[in-house]
Amino acid sequence: GAGVSQSPSNKVTEKGKDVELRCDPISGHTALYWYRQSLGQGLEFLIYFQGNSAPDKSGLPSDRFSAERTGESVSTLTIQRTQQEDSAVYLCASSLAGGGAYNEQFFGPGTRLTVL
Amino acid sequence: DAKTTQPNSMESNEEEPVHLPCNHSTISGTDYIHWYRQLPSQGPEYVIHGLTSNVNNRMASLAIAEDRKSSTLILHRATLRDAAVYYCILRAVRLSMNRDDKIIFGKGTRLHILP
């Protein structure tokens, strides 16, 4: 079946503009995660959705970052008033519900964001 | 999730076994050991996970120390396509099966395969 998909694959924007990044998780996966990866760095957790529970937003770096999820499907990560330090690859992952120790995360290909 | 420690980088010759170490001295009794890898320009992919016993799958083997404070990912015969960053992660079993915890990825080990 289809894996996790993300769009766009690449986004170039000007400093100060808003951007929206989209993630389509695997059907039936109720857990959805956003990470970002700056050049040469490891993955940085941003936000996590699980079913109808309140999202874990503890990784969002500033109030310019927000994310929404429609039910148990599509998620959108929004960055307002982008800054050059927001340039990174933004990765989305999904997994089956609960029992996190047992379930693997499936990652999308990422969106490469470049802020000029 | 508990912290893990891995070497920054390793090298191995093609077609030879590779042993990637991970230390997790503060592991708790309910933490599972997961390994992911990230090929160049791709998102991470799951490799293997285990709790206490050694595990084998088509990609790799996982050897877990008896005290569980360390583990080793074993690639039995490395190919050039195995060149990637390998992440060792601990994931806790939660009493609530309705909610997972976020995964904390460290910097991982960058594996270079020499032809």
Side-chain angles (χ1 to χ4, degrees), chain B residues 88-101:
Chain B
C88 169
I89 299 152
L90 300 184
R91 299 203 71 188
V93 172
R94 300 299 179 192
L95 292 178
S96 166
M97 296 298 286
N98 292 322
R99 187 172 181 88
D100 292 340
D101 279 346

Side-chain angles (χ1 to χ4, degrees), chain A residues 60-82:
Chain A
L60 294 179
S62 78
D63 59 8
R64 296 186 295 105
F65 287 72
S66 63
E68 291 184 350
R69 189 177 184 194
T70 307
E72 294 184 348
S73 59
V74 172
S75 176
T76 303
L77 177 70
T78 301
I79 309 173
Q80 296 179 310
R81 305 180 303 282
T82 53

Side-chain angles (χ1 to χ4, degrees), chain B residues 32-87:
Chain B
Y32 277 70
I33 302 157
H34 285 237
W35 284 81
Y36 282 74
R37 72 177 185 181
Q38 187 173 21
L39 302 172
S41 302
Q42 295 187 27
E45 63 176 350
Y46 167 83
V47 177
I48 199 167
H49 79 278
L51 182 62
T52 56
S53 303
N54 294 343
V55 184
N56 299 296
N57 67 19
R58 63 176 179 81
M59 290 181 72
S61 295
L62 177 61
I64 301 172
E66 195 168 335
D67 64 4
R68 302 207 328 122
K69 296 189 176 198
S70 65
S71 61
T72 302
L73 180 70
I74 302 166
L75 307 179
H76 294 286
R77 191 167 169 271
T79 70
L80 295 176
R81 288 173 296 178
D82 291 321
V85 178
Y86 287 79
Y87 298 98

Side-chain angles (χ1 to χ4, degrees), chain A residues 33 35 37 41-43 45 48 50 53-56 58 91 95-105 107-108, chain B residues 30 32 34 36 38 41-46 49 87 91-93 96-107:
Chain A
Y33 304 76
Y35 299 85
Q37 188 170 33
Q41 300 299 309
L43 277 75
F45 166 79
Y48 157 53
Q50 173 66 67
S53 301
D56 179 349
S58 60
L91 290 156
S95 69
L96 289 169
Y102 318 112
N103 293 325
E104 64 180 282
Q105 288 194 349
F107 282 81
Chain B
T30 56
Y32 277 70
H34 285 237
Y36 282 74
Q38 187 173 21
S41 302
Q42 295 187 27
E45 63 176 350
Y46 167 83
H49 79 278
Y87 298 98
R91 299 203 71 188
V93 172
S96 166
M97 296 298 286
N98 292 322
R99 187 172 181 88
D100 292 340
D101 279 346
K102 61 197 178 197
I103 294 182
I104 305 298
F105 283 81
K107 297 227 172 127

